[in-house]
Amino acid sequence: MRKVYSKIETIAGNVISVKADGVSYGELAEVSTSYGKSLAEVIKLDHGMVSLQVFAGGRGISTGDEIRFLGHPMEVSFSENLTGRIFNGSGVPRDKGPELTENLIPIGGPSFNPAKRVIPRNMIRTGIPMIDLFNTLVESQKLPIFSVSGEPYNELLARIAMQAEVDLIILGGMGLKYDDYLYFKDTLEEGGALSRTIMFVHTASDPTVECLMVPDISLAVAEKFALQGKKVLVLLTDMTNFADAMKEIAITQEQVPSNRGYPGDLYSQLASRYEKAVDIEGSGSITILGVTTMPGDDVTHPVPDNTGYITEGQYYLKNGRIEPFGSLSRLKQQVNDRTREDHRALMDGMIKLYAAFKDSLEKQSMGFQMSAWDDKLLKYGAMFEAVMMDLTVNIPLEKALDEGWRILSDCFDPSETGMKTSLIEKFWPKEK
Amino acid sequence: MKQGKVVGINGNMVTVALESSVIMNEVGYIITDEGKRLKSEVIRVMGDEAQLQVFEITKGISIGDSCDFSGDLLAAELGPGLLGQVYDGLQNPLPELAEQAGYFLERGVYIDPLNRSRRWDFTPVAHEGDKVEQADILGTVPEGPFKHSIMVPFNMLDSYTIKSIKPAGSYLISDTIAVVTDSRGNEFNLTMSFQWPVKRAITCYEERLKPVEPMLTKTRVIDTFLPVAKGGTYCIPGPFGAGKTVLQQTTSKFADVDVVIVAACGERAGEVVETLKEFPELTDPKTGKSLMERTIIICNTSSMPVASREASVYTAVTLAEYYRQMGLDVLLLADSTSRWAQAMREMSGRLEEIPGEEAFPAYLESSIAGFYERAGIVKLKSGKTGSVTIGGTVSPAGGNFEEPVTQATLKVVGAFHGLSRERSDARKYPAIHPIDSWSKYAGIMDTKKTTKAYNLLKRGYEVEAMMKVVGEEGTSLADYMIYLEGDFLDAVYFQQNSFDAVDCAVAPERQEHVFDKIYDLLNSKLNLTEKSAARSWFNQLRQRFLDWNSAEWETEEYKKLEAEIDAHIAGMKA
Ligand SMILES: Nc1ncnc2c1ncn2[C@@H]1O[C@H](COP(=O)(O)OP(=O)(O)O)[C@@H](O)[C@H]1O
Ligand SMILES: [Mg+2]
């Protein structure tokens, strides 16, 4: 039995400190308060003084409460028994199932050796043209949905999850509204996917510190399954809440903020989670789809900004649609040369024309006379938005490509499209 | 062995109570209770305590753990066998690490940077009795496409006499290949490798020259309009997704240099993997060997420990300087220097230093300047010249160039290739913004002509902006023509498709040929008297040009398309 300490020196926010010896960095402790027990993690050691971050928060802790160090870092149980289960951010069951304690694995483990990675090769088909055609999702990609609050990002996330062919879905919920939690649960259940789902859910009413654990727990479990050969899809919603939890801790720790109160290591912290996405040679994979809500629809806000620098693209959700501008799949070129020969050219060409349409639209809104070319673009833009940007459609990529050519031929002469002649000869709809 | 005891841990910074003296920036090893030795560097000394940045995850380190001090500064190992390697920021070979530790980067495992069991065919150049100094050549070994010079270690500052030197033969890098004596008669055994502290520039050359010769990248907009010189420096700032990495990857493949060092600094691991898997398959047109044989990858990606990220750019530039000493042209591409700056910021925060703008440390500017200053073209004692060219990407917060790292970088570089969100959103790649960007170097073509064309492009941009206010009908035909011409130049010359097998790299001869044709067109009077006819004529011309761009140089197809273009233009010339 390890020594019990019962003299808490300081309590600031969710961080307490106590004098103790023989403690290691990252070690867990158990704090017994009159409200019950909570785990706490060592986040700083300074001579004899140990600072701990209390999972259940600092509220209600008394200076005389007992602290017992556990001698190990944060762990989670890993086995097949996890599937179909729902836990909170500390790994405690949220459903009525039993607590799991066998085969404990550490969380937040070391990074994957880049030399052991393989180049991602498999497209994940979603049936959504804005994704499949323009911003193809690829197995092992890490990709967030950028969105203002109020947009149907969780619906989009759930839809992709249901449609993607994966072996296992892990949902990491951070600051999730209770309704959203139920929505995920119901959708996965209706789709028959609950039995291949594991959820680690921190809801908006749970203690902040537990929010911080969610990505690490989810990804540690994902990593083990992937090493066993499973294709794992990890859904992280909402990473802005995760970042805000970090900000809260940093501020109570009196760290110098770098930008709008966020700590200077925000980038490294986010990266160490997202970089867990991997395609393992001869084994499984981890794909991460996240949600990053953008306060004030501002992409330059530190959270979306740092995220964009880390992830392999983003889907920019606005007015219920994935915006062509601002959305990007950086891995698309790994797969879109093997789908159909017109895929790349159509993808680029149609977006260039859509950009030109936006210019014409702006001119129109300013009351300028529309030239014949502007009129063509306006027609094109309307068709593009109706056919390509609609999130409710569900068509295979090939069908979407055909639709693309149809729109072009309805609106333009071949030479106006900027497409290569060889492709025009092959794909331009003949009879009209 | 000098030792200390751990008394504090905060993130990757550990405080150690000293039992003896230490050296600033000395390497120490913290010994965990599992017996792991975690490499660290002294970054501050205060009384009888030192603060070290640990190059590994610090979880599990306990108060009271001991720390061994090595007496050496953080150093890179220099010698034959660096080319083709994939190292982390501390020069650990990652493939070998994977063999030993498996899928994950197990901490505390360090592997010799250079293969100890590989034999090299040494040919002596110096002779017994010769007088030699630092960096003088003792002999050579073949390495990939080059003769690798085996030199007197750069840290030997006296003048020496060769007492003996090995005959031609095959040796290990640890074999003594020469014995030298200094002016006081002390003997030194020299092997084929030695250590050099990474944070110190290698300056064993006669003089630094002015960078004038262009370093060709085969990207049109760079070589023609915004050139980079051998031994020069340039930066590529841009918001995320604007194309910084793709542009550097293209350059790393096609640049006309001898050695390329890719420093993947704090960005995505996946991007390095592309280089890692592709390069061995690609041939270097210059040497006919695989591209990997001229490349070194320093890979300290975003989830790897942040302190070694800080070290990684120094490791990279040290290796670059080493190959420069052999009279080679080396290109160092760092992606992204902002992550390196952020690593400094993280450490500075833990040290509780007084923060500057956006919490970056006060020495940010001098560190950036010091790094780029290690570029240069130099005349060596052998009479040869060698160069280190540095290109760094910058990832400004919010894509706003008015931030400390971009601003500090712009002060010291010779060319600025600023990428714009607006252009990348419109899929106009490479998204280098013609208005913001500049270069102080001379390119391959007549500057008068290129400046004129470049100005036309800028004017076209202005007209386009104006048109948004006054509308097409409020724009004169003359201005409208400028807009169309600028837009045409932009579409067929400025923009270039990195993913097209032909268009991705354009040799200087072709650039000149195509540019001349466009230049001629832009200076011709055209029989276009009406806006919509003019637009449609340029559309057709653009179409043909794009087809032409992806036709292979001087093939039948190429000639056929060129003839069509010539006819199209001739038909409209006044
Ligand atoms: N020259 C180019 N040609 C075509 N697509 C490009 C080009 N440059 C960038 N892209 C597209 O933009 C994406 C992001 O580019 P990248 O270089 O990774 O951006 P950054 O490093 O600035 O964040 C790429 O994955 C690719 O889809
Ligand atoms: Mg990049």
Side-chain angles (χ1 to χ4, degrees):
Chain A
M1 194 65 194
R2 304 203 23 157
K3 203 169 152 194
V4 173
Y5 297 87
S6 60
K7 187 165 180 297
I8 296 176
E9 307 273 338
T10 65
I11 307 172
N14 301 317
V15 179
I16 60 171
S17 60
V18 62
K19 280 206 177 101
D21 23 79
V23 179
S24 340
Y25 193 65
E27 182 174 346
L28 280 192
E30 195 175 67
V31 186
S32 310
T33 72
S34 48
Y35 299 94
K37 287 184 176 171
S38 169
L39 290 175
E41 185 181 41
V42 175
I43 56 167
K44 187 173 167 183
L45 292 163
D46 185 8
H47 297 85
M49 193 65 82
V50 181
S51 305
L52 298 125
Q53 178 167 284
V54 184
F55 291 6
R59 199 164 293 153
I61 292 186
S62 133
T63 50
D65 284 346
E66 287 188 348
I67 297 169
R68 192 166 62 86
F69 288 92
L70 303 178
H72 62 78
M74 179 70 185
E75 292 169 327
V76 60
S77 160
F78 167 72
S79 73
E80 290 292 332
N81 296 338
L82 286 170
T83 50
R85 297 289 312 275
I86 305 173
F87 305 89
N88 73 6
S90 318
V92 176
R94 222 176 227 294
D95 54 14
K96 302 208 168 60
E99 184 136 8
L100 299 180
T101 49
E102 78 270 18
N103 191 28
L104 294 169
I105 57 163
I107 69 167
S111 114
F112 203 86
N113 188 330
K116 276 286 196 186
R117 284 176 183 259
V118 291
I119 299 184
R121 303 259 71 187
N122 305 320
M123 170 179 175
I124 296 180
R125 287 177 176 257
T126 65
I128 302 171
M130 250 355 262
I131 296 181
D132 293 357
L133 203 168
F134 295 98
N135 294 291
T136 320
L137 182 63
V138 178
E139 186 180 338
S140 88
Q141 191 157 17
K142 43 185 178 287
L143 195 136
I145 297 167
F146 281 4
S147 167
V148 281
S149 43
E151 291 284 338
Y153 48 82
N154 282 333
E155 283 81 348
L156 179 60
L157 204 59
R159 172 161 173 213
I160 299 173
M162 296 302 308
Q163 234 138 295
E165 288 170 358
V166 294
D167 301 321
L168 185 69
I169 299 167
I170 297 181
L171 173 73
M174 288 151 283
L176 213 55
K177 284 202 276 302
Y178 208 83
D179 294 354
D180 287 336
Y181 159 57
L182 293 177
Y183 168 79
F184 274 109
K185 215 173 112 184
D186 294 346
T187 312
L188 291 165
E189 196 153 27
E190 277 162 33
L194 207 54
S195 60
R196 53 183 174 98
T197 302
I198 306 168
M199 296 196 207
F200 295 96
V201 175
H202 165 268
T203 68
S205 57
D206 297 334
T208 314
V209 182
E210 280 186 4
C211 179
L212 288 174
M213 304 287 155
V214 170
D216 282 342
I217 288 208
S218 307
L219 291 162
V221 169
E223 203 161 76
K224 286 284 174 195
F225 279 111
L227 284 169
Q228 292 185 348
K230 293 226 158 59
K231 286 185 187 180
V232 188
L233 174 65
V234 180
L235 309 174
L236 298 174
T237 172
D238 167 353
M239 287 297 276
T240 304
N241 290 334
F242 170 74
D244 286 342
M246 271 192 305
K247 171 164 107 174
E248 193 182 317
I249 303 286
I251 287 173
T252 43
Q253 286 280 90
E254 294 177 359
Q255 283 179 24
V256 183
S258 66
N259 202 341
R260 294 200 230 179
Y262 290 92
D265 65 356
L266 177 65
Y267 174 86
S268 301
Q269 292 289 358
L270 290 172
S272 71
R273 275 78 188 191
Y274 281 117
E275 282 279 316
K276 291 276 178 199
V278 65
D279 197 341
I280 306 172
E281 202 168 5
S283 196
S285 65
I286 300 177
T287 307
I288 302 179
L289 275 179
V291 166
T292 300
T293 50
M294 297 185 289
D297 195 13
D298 177 10
V299 214
T300 69
H301 179 278
V303 180
D305 186 49
N306 279 284
T307 304
Y309 277 116
I310 293 163
T311 52
E312 288 153 341
Q314 63 279 333
Y315 295 145
Y316 184 12
L317 189 63
K318 200 173 178 182
N319 301 324
R321 298 197 295 223
I322 296 177
E323 275 290 310
F325 306 125
S327 295
L328 170 71
S329 161
R330 290 166 187 266
L331 298 188
K332 59 180 185 278
Q333 55 263 26
Q334 309 290 3
V335 295
N336 65 11
D337 56 342
R338 289 173 292 125
T339 46
R340 208 169 89 177
E341 61 179 306
D342 56 333
H343 187 166
R344 278 189 181 176
L346 205 57
M347 164 186 91
D348 283 333
M350 291 194 84
I351 296 292
K352 276 189 190 166
L353 287 167
Y354 187 73
F357 151 73
K358 285 282 191 183
D359 286 344
S360 296
L361 200 62
E362 195 182 318
K363 276 194 264 173
Q364 190 187 40
S365 71
M366 294 181 70
F368 294 127
Q369 194 184 325
M370 293 284 96
S371 67
W373 173 242
D374 288 318
D375 288 336
K376 286 183 171 190
L377 287 170
L378 289 176
K379 177 174 175 197
Y380 168 76
M383 288 182 79
F384 184 89
E385 291 184 349
V387 178
M388 294 295 179
M389 289 171 64
D390 188 349
L391 278 187
T392 59
V393 300
N394 186 357
I395 52 174
L397 170 70
E398 292 69 19
K399 180 86 196 316
L401 289 169
D402 292 343
E403 285 291 301
W405 286 106
R406 187 181 62 78
I407 296 173
L408 289 180
S409 70
D410 277 354
C411 303
F412 303 109
D413 293 334
S415 72
E416 289 168 335
T417 59
M419 304 290 288
K420 268 208 270 179
T421 311
S422 56
L423 290 173
I424 288 178
E425 279 166 5
K426 187 155 177 191
F427 292 101
W428 196 265
K430 296 285 175 316
E431 79 294 359
K432 267 217 305 155
Chain B
M1 174 78 70
K2 297 187 297 176
Q3 281 195 325
K5 289 256 177 287
V6 172
V7 293
I9 307 158
N10 180 13
N12 64 344
M13 189 185 76
V14 167
T15 309
V16 170
L18 301 169
E19 286 157 18
S20 53
S21 63
V22 282
I23 312 167
M24 183 63 171
N25 297 109
E26 175 171 359
V27 170
Y29 291 88
I30 289 160
I31 302 157
T32 68
D33 54 5
E34 312 154 284
K36 292 253 164 73
R37 295 167 58 82
L38 309 181
K39 199 169 186 173
S40 317
E41 180 188 15
V42 176
I43 53 170
R44 181 151 78 187
V45 184
M46 288 186 312
D48 50 7
E49 286 184 358
Q51 286 172 319
L52 290 84
Q53 61 173 342
V54 184
F55 297 119
E56 305 277 8
I57 297 173
T58 48
K59 246 188 213 171
I61 298 179
S62 305
I63 296 293
D65 283 353
S66 41
C67 175
D68 288 349
F69 291 97
S70 67
D72 295 319
L73 304 185
L74 188 67
E77 186 172 62
L78 304 176
L82 293 165
L83 295 178
Q85 294 267 17
V86 182
Y87 290 125
D88 74 1
L90 301 177
Q91 222 194 351
N92 267 302
L94 289 171
E96 285 79 0
L97 200 63
E99 269 170 39
Q100 198 165 320
Y103 287 124
F104 297 94
L105 295 171
E106 195 183 313
R107 60 182 179 166
V109 182
Y110 306 111
I111 295 178
D112 291 325
L114 294 174
N115 189 329
R116 292 290 183 268
S117 54
R118 176 160 173 196
R119 295 193 160 270
W120 295 91
D121 288 323
F122 175 74
T123 309
V125 171
H127 306 90
E128 221 174 276
D130 282 0
K131 287 255 181 244
V132 291
E133 292 177 345
Q134 53 162 196
D136 282 349
I137 298 176
L138 297 168
T140 64
V141 300
E143 182 189 15
F146 312 111
K147 261 191 193 163
H148 183 122
S149 307
I150 304 297
M151 297 172 274
V152 176
F154 306 157
N155 46 13
M156 295 183 64
L157 303 179
D158 204 350
S159 93
Y160 306 84
T161 310
I162 298 183
K163 189 174 169 217
S164 67
I165 185 159
K166 284 277 165 63
S170 131
Y171 303 97
L172 300 171
I173 56 159
S174 51
D175 289 337
T176 298
I177 49 115
V179 179
V180 298
T181 48
D182 70 6
S183 51
R184 277 173 297 168
N186 300 314
E187 269 188 23
F188 299 88
N189 292 337
L190 304 184
T191 65
M192 289 197 273
S193 76
F194 61 93
Q195 306 271 326
W196 180 263
V198 294
K199 291 185 181 165
R200 195 170 291 166
I202 296 171
T203 53
C204 316
Y205 46 76
E206 291 278 287
E207 58 173 328
R208 256 181 92 158
L209 308 170
K210 189 168 181 266
V212 281
E213 192 194 334
M215 185 208 64
L216 295 173
T217 61
K218 305 208 177 78
T219 294
R220 283 186 292 256
V221 45
I222 298 179
D223 296 343
T224 305
F225 296 113
L226 300 162
V228 177
K230 281 183 180 160
T233 52
Y234 69 109
C235 68
I236 310 175
F240 62 79
K244 301 179 292 297
T245 304
V246 171
L247 187 55
Q248 277 210 339
Q249 283 173 340
T250 314
T251 308
S252 68
K253 276 185 214 162
F254 302 115
D256 185 19
V257 291
D258 299 310
V259 174
V260 175
I261 300 182
V262 175
C265 176
E267 299 255 325
R268 305 173 187 86
E271 292 170 344
V272 195
V273 180
E274 282 172 41
T275 307
L276 216 91
K277 306 271 159 161
E278 261 190 345
F279 274 33
E281 312 294 321
L282 298 173
T283 357
D284 176 6
K286 233 169 116 171
T287 63
K289 304 206 170 203
S290 102
L291 262 188
M292 200 62 206
E293 288 185 50
R294 71 154 196 185
T295 309
I296 306 173
I297 299 175
I298 308 289
C299 167
N300 216 98
T301 52
S302 57
S303 62
M304 289 161 74
V306 66
S308 41
R309 186 199 299 169
E310 194 259 342
S312 69
V313 300
Y314 295 107
T315 303
V317 72
T318 303
L319 302 189
E321 289 169 335
Y322 176 62
Y323 279 97
R324 175 177 70 185
Q325 286 301 127
M326 299 173 207
L328 297 173
D329 292 320
V330 187
L331 170 63
L332 165 59
L333 295 169
D335 185 14
S336 154
T337 59
S338 294
R339 306 303 162 218
W340 162 60
Q342 287 180 342
M344 287 193 268
R345 175 168 75 185
E346 283 186 32
M347 252 1 265
S348 169
R350 299 223 165 83
L351 288 169
E352 295 174 1
E353 291 172 342
I354 294 169
E357 214 185 321
E358 290 182 23
F360 283 107
Y363 43 83
L364 176 75
E365 274 198 21
S366 58
S367 300
I368 290 176
F371 170 66
Y372 281 102
E373 262 306 299
R374 291 177 73 169
I377 178 160
V378 300
K379 194 166 143 222
L380 302 165
K381 277 191 279 184
S382 64
K384 285 194 208 168
T385 56
S387 66
V388 171
T389 309
I390 301 182
T393 67
V394 186
S395 318
N400 177 4
F401 293 173
E402 300 301 316
E403 56 88 46
V405 183
T406 314
Q407 288 305 314
T409 307
L410 285 180
K411 277 191 194 165
V412 294
V413 293
F416 163 45
H417 302 160
L419 304 190
S420 98
R421 160 76 69 224
E422 178 201 346
R423 284 181 70 87
S424 68
D425 270 353
R427 306 295 193 265
K428 293 181 179 171
Y429 296 116
I432 296 178
H433 200 290
I435 310 271
D436 302 341
S437 305
W438 47 260
S439 166
K440 294 179 183 164
Y441 304 115
I444 46 170
M445 284 179 223
D446 182 353
T447 326
K448 253 204 241 117
K449 284 190 186 175
T450 54
T451 311
K452 198 167 164 194
Y454 197 65
N455 284 339
L456 178 90
L457 189 76
K458 287 192 189 176
R459 284 268 292 123
Y461 245 81
E462 283 162 20
V463 174
E464 193 182 355
M466 190 185 67
M467 251 184 340
K468 285 191 179 139
V469 184
V470 300
E472 212 170 287
E473 63 270 35
T475 307
S476 71
L477 180 66
D479 276 354
Y480 193 72
M481 286 302 290
I482 289 173
Y483 156 69
L484 285 178
E485 286 171 355
D487 192 55
F488 171 73
L489 175 64
D490 187 353
V492 305
Y493 200 85
F494 223 84
Q495 294 172 41
Q496 190 172 343
N497 188 344
S498 310
F499 298 116
D500 181 281
V502 174
D503 201 32
C504 61
V506 182
E509 306 80 58
R510 182 169 181 167
Q511 289 190 31
E512 265 173 274
H513 181 72
V514 175
F515 179 75
D516 281 343
K517 191 176 298 288
I518 297 175
Y519 188 77
D520 182 57
L521 169 72
L522 300 180
N523 283 291
S524 305
K525 187 132 182 39
L526 300 170
N527 273 328
L528 292 165
T529 50
E530 194 260 318
K531 286 178 197 161
S532 81
R535 174 186 283 281
S536 114
W537 187 81
F538 269 105
N539 274 344
Q540 286 161 11
L541 183 63
R542 183 187 62 190
Q543 176 75 30
R544 297 203 156 98
F545 246 89
L546 291 176
D547 286 346
W548 193 40
N549 278 347
S550 36
E552 208 151 334
W553 174 236
E554 296 200 321
T555 53
E556 281 311 307
E557 160 91 344
Y558 176 94
K559 288 180 188 148
K560 187 184 128 235
L561 290 165
E562 180 166 17
E564 278 177 33
I565 288 170
D566 289 345
H568 187 84
I569 296 176
M572 199 50 74
K573 269 198 192 171

